[in-house]
Structures are given as C-alpha cells and as structure tokens.
Amino acid sequence: MDSAGQDINLNSPNKGQLPDFMIDVPVGPGVAAQTPAVEQGLTEAEEEELRTELAKVEEEIITLRQVLSAKERHCGELKRRLGLSALGELKQNLSKSWHDVQVSNAYVKTSEKLGEWNEKVTQSDLYKKTQETLSQAGQKTSAALSTMGSAISRKLGDMRNSATFKSFEDRVGIIKSKVVGGNENGSDSFPGHADPPLPDHAPF
C-alpha cells in the first residue's frame, strides 16, 4: 500500500495529515465550503469515539433496512396466501379511515352542531307557520277535489235521470232494434224507409 492510502486510513496515527504530494495543491473556496468542518474543541479521543458511534449507527440502519425488506416480503406472501387483493385492502383502508373520521372530535362536534341547528329550525315560529300553512293548503286541495268529484257524479246522475237523456236513450234503442231487424230480413236499408215511387208520367 502506498503512502497516500496509509494516510487516508482513519485508524492511522498520521490521520489528518496530508501526503507530501498534496501539500502544495491549492484549495479553492468552493472546495473548502463543501468539506464539512470538524467541531472545534474535540480531542482525538472524542473524535474517535464519535466516528465509532457513527459507524455503529450506520450499521444498525443497514440491518434495519434488511429486516424491513424481509418483513415486507413476508407480509406480501401472507396476503397472497389469504387471497387479499390490493383492491380489497384499499376498501378496508377506506372503511377504517371513514370510521376514524366518524369517531373524530371534529366529526362529532359537527354532527352535534347540525343537530342543534335542525332542532332550532324545527322549533322556530317561522317553520311551524310554514308547516301549518302547507298542511292547511293540502287539506283544502283535497276537500276541493272531493267536492268537485261529488258534483260531477251528481251531475251525471241527474243527466241520466232527465227526460232528455231518457228520450235519447229510447231513440238509440229503437234505432238499434231496427238495424238488427233489418239485417235479419236481409235488407240493407232501414225498415220504413222504402224507395220513393216513380211518377206516372215522364217529363218527356
């Protein structure tokens, strides 16, 4: 291993020292801003302890990611064996979300407020007067329709009992009997309506 690789090693006793070939390389302001500065006042022991803790945390993060991935695969396999589809899971989530909304404080308060408004409206004088007016209008309309129906029935009864209607009914009966009798005798004309006789002397 060359000297540059040895100096880059964090566990090297020469850590923090640049190799000889990099000492004369100028460092621009942009590069210096991108390089995170070590907190001032840290001893080498404290810095080493922090680096060890950082490596441990990063290793735990990798382990947790692997465990999470394995759990997700196992969960998917269980859902597949139980026949749970993505659509069914979506419906279940929506149902649970709606249940959560119904039991939430905002929903409960809104429902209570709407109930109070409804009670105030139904108990108000304007609502009661409107309801009474509509009820009276419905009753009057029903009574008027009933009266009109009775009047029409009575008028039809009077017409059937009148002399004019009976005379008309009798005439219809007579005409019907004559038509039926004429058809039975084989005549196409009405009885009593013979052709007029020819005159004795022709005009010529």
Side-chain angles (χ1 to χ4, degrees):
M1 184 180 298
D2 55 5
S3 60
Q6 293 177 356
D7 292 336
I8 292 175
N9 187 1
L10 297 179
N11 295 326
S12 172
N14 296 325
K15 62 184 176 181
Q17 299 179 0
L18 296 175
D20 296 335
F21 70 91
M22 296 181 65
I23 294 176
D24 297 332
V25 177
V27 178
V31 177
Q34 294 177 0
T35 304
V38 180
E39 184 179 348
Q40 298 294 332
L42 290 177
T43 62
E44 292 186 0
E46 291 175 344
E47 184 179 348
E48 184 66 25
E49 182 180 358
L50 291 176
R51 293 184 183 276
T52 302
E53 185 177 357
L54 175 61
K56 182 179 179 181
V57 172
E58 290 178 344
E59 183 178 358
E60 290 177 351
I61 292 174
I62 295 174
T63 302
L64 291 174
R65 286 177 179 172
Q66 294 175 350
V67 172
L68 178 60
S69 178
K71 292 291 185 182
E72 288 178 347
R73 289 195 299 271
H74 184 58
C75 180
E77 179 66 18
L78 292 176
K79 289 181 179 180
R80 185 187 65 80
R81 296 179 64 182
L82 289 173
L84 299 177
S85 62
L87 180 59
E89 187 176 358
L90 177 61
K91 290 181 179 180
Q92 185 177 1
N93 292 336
L94 290 176
S95 178
K96 183 178 182 300
S97 300
W98 175 240
H99 175 72
D100 294 340
V101 169
Q102 287 180 323
V103 298
S104 63
N105 292 331
Y107 182 86
V108 173
K109 290 181 179 179
T110 303
S111 299
E112 292 177 353
K113 183 62 68 176
L114 290 176
E116 292 176 359
W117 288 348
N118 182 53
E119 185 177 359
K120 289 180 180 179
V121 169
T122 54
Q123 296 298 327
S124 63
D125 294 337
L126 178 62
Y127 179 84
K128 290 180 179 179
K129 290 181 180 179
T130 304
Q131 191 175 22
E132 291 176 357
T133 302
L134 293 176
S135 178
Q136 292 175 1
Q139 293 176 0
K140 290 181 180 179
T141 303
S142 299
L145 292 175
S146 177
T147 302
M148 184 173 63
S150 300
I152 293 174
S153 299
R154 185 170 58 254
K155 190 65 176 178
L156 290 175
D158 295 341
M159 289 176 60
R160 289 182 62 87
N161 295 326
S162 65
T164 303
F165 187 85
K166 288 184 177 181
S167 176
F168 175 76
E169 191 175 26
D170 293 339
R171 290 180 182 179
V172 171
I174 294 171
I175 295 174
K176 181 179 178 182
S177 62
K178 290 182 178 181
V179 171
V180 174
N183 290 333
E184 290 178 353
N185 295 328
S187 176
D188 294 335
S189 61
F190 294 105
H193 291 77
D195 295 335
L198 294 175
D200 295 336
H201 302 284
F204 301 103

